């Protein structure tokens, strides 16, 4: 049976107008795989399918399944996870089908790419082939990471398994009954793919200005400056690059070093620190941090990112597309014509320190229970809409109190907040949802941010070398956290005495780093995976605040239901039924 590349015709409505229509097969627009050899756009479609399936192409808001948020959307799949309605047959976090499908397309691409006539010039064809081969290996590694993060785990024997390693394009005659490799074998395969990707890809996709910058391996092909830029230039800025594969390696290594997958091997932490440190070093070290990086979603940053360009904060992102207002329509409060879907918890609000750097419950914090949102870490009001905060194009004051005269108040209507807070982060306040004058704005959805890499380094370096140890770098975990807190406006007027206190204690620094990660990456889909890899408690109730007559009362909004076996996600039950060699994670 011939392999198929793309089905260009879509089945249309069947009509019964004649015997010929009923019994004579129509000619279908189906291309043989061999057609792709002379039609590179079709071949590239296999690769682009991988880009289209990257899980971080859009926001997931799985924070709803953690202690950081709840939702007023009662049909939310993540609400089902939080409340115990999570099974191997109903797993909203499942990546088995999406990521394995992407790998199948990428394997298909890798099986044909050497045969494709990418250009009329053999030399240019060689460069195109190398570049897209590198992209395919990088993407395959990324999808294997998502599979490992989502489905790697302990079986009933206590062994930590990874995923089936599939490196060849599968056909109808293939053996699909493959066992899961060990976690370590899966990890090494990801590293292998990333290494291959780096061999083919440029550090960044940017035009070069001098022929001497053409890599040595292409100079012997008599490549011109125009030829090189045609393949590796700025037109491909949104494609996966060597720098991006290095950042992916840091993510993978952090997962592997974490308690859920690592039983005390300090070398794993050092490896993760080295991988993340390399990315940071190439970006200028601790002093290279983007001053506006924490507000990457606001106009000051978004407006710079035209023609595929990024700010120094953004490593990789989705094309910003057209102006839109859908994110704001989902998450603005009701008086701004939004649905208020994501409601940050009191748990998260309490995690933001005071502006002097002390946690709110510390002796020297100066926290005032009667005025709880003043003199706080500036990130609090940037990321969370608290009672009395302003939002929207007209800086409308939002009243979330129990006795609020508007529908923004606690549990007023089905689109009201359930916790006393609304999400502010990611939203463009210059979007107008008023039906009489709706106006959208550009938005940025990052796949990788430098802040994630800074925090990965801080976490790993602290475990490997302690708070102030630097390994082979010029910066420590302490240096990175200090730079992040200074950017946020924390401890800037008093030298951040709390940070100075904890830098002498590895355990205290660990908790501070984890808290900084919680704050900096909130609502970006990290908290759920972080709690799992840290073996942290998922059962803390989600709390809110009920404000009446200026009295603030903490309330329980939603109890969390997680069993111990849910520390690792399930393999889809349907796959377990089909394939006898596939072992399920314990408890599912």
């Amino acid at each position: 049976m011939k392999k198929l590349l793309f089905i260009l015709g879509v089945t249309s409505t069947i009509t019964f107008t004649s015997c010929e229509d009923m019994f004579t097969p129509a000619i279908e627009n189906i291309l043989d795989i061999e057609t792709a050899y002379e039609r590179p756009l079709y071949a590239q479609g296999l690769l682009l399918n991988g880009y289209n399936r990257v899980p971080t192409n859009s926001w997931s808001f799985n924070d709803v399944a953690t202690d950081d948020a709840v939702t007023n959307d009662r049909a939310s799949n993540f609400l089902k996870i939080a409340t115990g309605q999570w099974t191997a047959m109903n797993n909203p976090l499942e990546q088995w089908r999406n990521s394995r499908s992407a790998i199948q397309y990428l394997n298909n691409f890798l099986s044909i790419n050497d045969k494709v006539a990418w250009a009329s010039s053999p030399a240019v064809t060689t460069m195109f082939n190398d570049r897209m081969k590198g992209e395919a290996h990088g993407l395959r590694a990324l999808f294997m990471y998502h599979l490992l993060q989502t489905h790697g785990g302990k079986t009933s024997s206590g062994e930590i398994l990874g995923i089936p390693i599939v490196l060849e394009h599968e056909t109808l005659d293939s053996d699909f009954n493959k066992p899961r490799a060990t976690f370590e074998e899966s990890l090494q395969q990801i590293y292998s793919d990333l290494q291959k990707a780096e061999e083919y890809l440029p550090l960044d996709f940017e035009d070069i200005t001098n022929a001497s910058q053409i890599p040595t391996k292409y100079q012997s092909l008599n490549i011109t400056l125009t030829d090189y830029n045609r393949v590796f230039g700025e037109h491909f800025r949104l494609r996966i690059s060597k720098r991006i594969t290095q950042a992916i390696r840091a993510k993978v290594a952090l997962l592997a070093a974490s308690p859920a997958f690592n039983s005390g091997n300090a070398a794993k932490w050092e490896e993760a620190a080295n991988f993340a440190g390399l990315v940071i070093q190439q970006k200028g070290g601790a002093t290279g941090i983007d001053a506006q990086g924490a507000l990457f979603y606001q106009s000051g940053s978004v407006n710079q990112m035209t023609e595929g360009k990024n700010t120094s904060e953004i490593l990789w992102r989705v094309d910003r597309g057209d102006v839109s207002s859908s994110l704001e329509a989902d998450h603005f409060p009701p008086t701004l014509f939004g649905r208020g879907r994501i409601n940050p918890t009191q748990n998260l609000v309490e995690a933001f320190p005071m502006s002097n750097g002390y946690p709110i419950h510390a002796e020297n914090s100066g926290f005032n229970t009667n005025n709880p949102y003043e003199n706080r870490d500036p990130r609090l009001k940037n990321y969370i809409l608290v009672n009395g905060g302003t939002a929207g194009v007209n800086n409308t004051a939002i009243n979330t109190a129990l006795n609020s005269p508007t529908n923004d108040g606690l549990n007023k209507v089905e689109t009201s907040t359930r916790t006393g807070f609304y999400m502010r982060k990611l939203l463009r306040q210059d979007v107008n949802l008023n039906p009489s004058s709706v106006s959208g704005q550009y938005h940025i959805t990052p796949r990788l941010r430098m802040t994630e890499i800074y925090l990965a380094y801080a976490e790993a370096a602290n475990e490997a070398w302690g708070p102030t140890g630097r390994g082979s770098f010029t910066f420590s975990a302490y240096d990175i956290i200090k730079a992040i807190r200074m950017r946020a406006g924390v401890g800037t007027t008093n030298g951040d005495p709390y940070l100075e206190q904890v830098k002498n204690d590895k355990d205290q620094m660990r908790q501070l780093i984890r808290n900084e990660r919680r704050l900096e990456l909130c609502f970006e889909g990290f908290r759920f995976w972080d709690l799992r890899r840290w073996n942290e408690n998922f059962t803390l109730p989600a709390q809110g605040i009920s404000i009446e007559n200026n009295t603030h009362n903490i309330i329980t909004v939603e109890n969390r239901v997680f069993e111990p076996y849910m520390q690792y996600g399930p393999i889809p039950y349907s796959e377990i039924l089909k394939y006898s060699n596939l072992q399920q994670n314990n408890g599912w």
Side-chain angles (χ1 to χ4, degrees):
M1 177 179 289
K2 291 185 177 181
K3 293 176 286 184
L4 304 181
L5 178 59
F6 284 110
I7 299 176
L8 301 179
V10 180
T11 304
S12 59
T13 304
I14 298 175
T15 59
F16 298 93
T17 57
S18 70
C19 291
E20 182 178 357
D21 290 337
M22 290 180 66
F23 299 109
T24 303
I27 297 175
E28 297 183 51
N29 291 324
I30 297 177
L31 297 178
D32 296 331
I33 192 69
E34 290 80 5
T35 307
Y37 301 160
E38 302 300 326
R39 302 179 71 173
L41 286 178
Y42 289 113
Q44 191 176 187
L46 294 168
L47 178 65
L48 296 179
N49 190 286
Y51 282 101
N52 288 337
R53 291 176 180 269
V54 173
T56 51
N57 282 350
S58 59
W59 302 113
S60 74
F61 296 117
N62 58 33
D63 308 71
V64 167
T66 76
D67 54 351
D68 273 5
V70 302
T71 180
N72 61 28
D73 177 9
R74 300 296 182 170
S76 166
N77 284 326
F78 297 124
L79 174 60
K80 295 175 183 177
I81 290 180
T83 54
Q85 303 172 62
W86 187 19
T87 70
M89 292 181 287
N90 179 20
N91 178 11
L93 295 163
E94 187 230 307
Q95 268 299 309
W96 198 265
R97 293 169 181 83
N98 176 70
S99 288
R100 294 201 70 190
S101 294
I103 290 171
Q104 167 74 338
Y105 278 100
L106 295 168
N107 286 343
N108 195 358
F109 175 81
L110 289 169
S111 73
I112 69 167
N113 67 298
D114 287 337
K115 302 174 184 177
V116 178
W118 295 109
S120 57
S121 162
V124 175
T125 287
T126 296
M127 290 194 297
F128 269 123
N129 190 36
D130 284 357
R131 193 203 79 202
M132 285 189 270
K133 189 182 296 184
E135 291 178 63
H137 280 291
L139 285 169
R140 188 168 72 180
L142 178 62
F143 284 109
M144 290 185 70
Y145 161 75
H146 282 289
L147 282 168
L148 202 59
Q149 175 183 251
T150 309
H151 300 289
K154 289 183 180 179
T155 64
S156 57
S157 67
E159 184 180 18
I160 299 180
L161 293 184
I163 57 176
I165 296 176
V166 181
L167 306 180
E168 302 293 332
H169 172 56
E170 294 176 302
T171 69
L172 292 176
D173 299 322
S174 297
D175 177 14
F176 295 96
N177 193 12
K178 295 183 183 298
R180 294 166 64 190
T182 66
F183 184 90
E184 184 63 26
E185 289 168 341
S186 303
L187 181 69
Q188 294 306 318
Q189 179 55 51
I190 294 173
Y191 288 158
S192 176
D193 264 344
L194 291 171
Q195 179 61 43
K196 288 179 182 177
E198 286 193 34
E199 293 171 5
Y200 293 113
L201 296 171
L203 185 63
D204 298 299
F205 286 107
E206 294 294 339
D207 286 352
I208 60 175
T209 57
N210 192 296
S212 64
Q213 297 173 270
I214 296 174
T216 303
K217 64 180 177 179
Y218 297 132
Q219 288 182 3
S220 61
L221 301 177
N222 296 317
I223 295 295
T224 68
L225 191 67
T226 300
D227 287 338
Y228 184 83
N229 287 338
R230 174 185 170 190
V231 180
F232 293 105
E234 63 183 26
H235 292 299
F236 299 98
R237 281 171 173 156
L238 297 182
R239 299 289 187 98
I240 194 168
S241 67
K242 180 177 179 179
R243 193 189 302 273
I244 292 166
T245 64
Q246 292 171 342
I248 292 172
R249 183 183 283 108
K251 287 171 63 78
V252 174
L254 185 69
L255 178 72
S258 300
F261 301 103
N262 178 27
S263 55
N265 184 350
K268 293 286 187 183
W269 286 113
E270 187 167 2
E271 188 173 56
N274 285 331
F275 289 154
L278 173 63
V279 181
I280 295 169
Q281 183 174 266
Q282 293 174 158
K283 281 280 199 174
T287 59
I289 192 168
D290 186 345
Q292 296 301 312
L295 303 173
F296 66 90
Y297 52 90
Q298 292 188 352
S299 59
S301 292
V302 174
N303 292 343
Q304 297 180 50
M305 290 187 266
T306 60
E307 300 176 330
K309 290 181 290 189
N310 288 325
T311 60
S312 58
E313 168 66 15
I314 304 299
L315 282 168
W316 192 26
R317 63 175 173 86
V318 180
D319 180 25
R320 71 179 192 173
D322 299 323
V323 297
S324 67
S325 57
S326 58
L327 199 62
E328 289 73 22
D330 272 341
H331 303 295
F332 269 0
T335 55
L336 297 181
F337 307 96
R339 290 181 281 273
R341 287 305 192 207
I342 300 299
N343 308 153
T345 59
Q346 176 71 12
N347 315 55
L348 176 58
V349 169
E350 290 186 2
F352 288 87
M354 301 298 290
S355 60
N356 61 20
Y358 284 99
I360 64 170
H361 298 302
E363 183 179 354
N364 299 319
S365 72
F367 177 68
N368 182 351
T369 56
N370 295 319
N371 198 6
Y373 311 128
E374 292 305 305
N375 300 318
R376 297 288 294 276
D377 176 343
R379 288 173 295 189
L380 173 60
K381 290 186 179 179
N382 283 335
Y383 294 169
I384 296 176
L385 187 53
V386 301
N387 183 51
T390 61
V393 291
N394 296 318
N395 291 317
T396 303
I398 304 300
N399 186 332
T400 67
L402 184 66
N403 57 347
S404 170
T406 74
N407 286 338
D408 296 334
L410 185 71
N411 292 320
K412 284 283 186 175
V413 293
E414 63 181 12
T415 55
S416 302
T417 175
R418 298 173 60 205
T419 62
F421 307 103
Y422 292 96
M423 185 180 78
R424 202 174 195 276
K425 188 179 179 181
L426 309 181
L427 306 181
R428 293 283 300 261
Q429 300 303 315
D430 47 354
V431 163
N432 189 351
L433 297 178
N434 190 314
S436 65
S437 55
V438 174
S439 63
Q441 297 290 346
Y442 287 111
H443 294 75
I444 291 300
T445 306
R447 292 183 177 125
L448 278 167
R449 289 209 288 134
M450 274 304 300
T451 296
E452 178 189 353
I453 306 303
Y454 291 129
L455 290 163
Y457 175 82
E459 182 179 342
N462 182 59
E463 300 298 334
W465 309 311
T468 57
R470 295 181 173 182
S472 61
F473 302 102
T474 59
F475 43 87
S476 64
Y478 160 80
D479 295 326
I480 294 295
I481 294 303
K482 185 175 183 65
I484 287 175
R485 283 163 70 92
M486 285 186 65
R487 178 178 74 178
V490 173
T492 56
T493 61
N494 62 347
D496 203 350
Y498 182 73
L499 176 60
E500 297 304 310
Q501 170 190 321
V502 303
K503 77 175 184 180
N504 299 311
D505 187 303
K506 180 178 178 179
D507 294 335
Q508 288 186 26
M509 179 61 89
R510 178 188 303 120
Q511 295 308 312
L512 177 58
I513 291 169
R514 290 183 179 184
N515 194 68
E516 285 296 315
R517 185 176 175 91
R518 181 182 190 179
L519 305 184
E520 285 282 336
L521 302 179
C522 64
F523 312 125
E524 296 182 55
F526 287 91
R527 180 69 172 167
F528 182 88
W529 306 112
D530 284 342
L531 290 175
R532 281 183 61 181
R533 66 182 180 84
W534 292 331
N535 289 333
E536 286 285 349
N537 184 7
F538 268 95
T539 60
L540 294 175
Q543 295 180 322
I545 197 79
S546 176
I547 305 171
E548 189 172 14
N549 299 324
N550 294 321
T551 300
H552 295 70
N553 293 309
I554 296 175
I555 58 174
T556 296
V557 177
E558 201 168 81
N559 288 314
R560 296 291 188 240
V561 181
F562 281 94
E563 298 297 333
Y565 68 84
M566 294 176 178
Q567 195 67 42
Y568 303 99
I571 307 298
Y573 184 62
S574 60
E575 299 297 293
I576 296 294
L577 289 178
K578 285 187 288 187
Y579 303 119
S580 59
N581 288 333
L582 205 56
Q583 292 187 63
Q584 180 63 280
N585 288 331
N586 188 42
W588 296 98

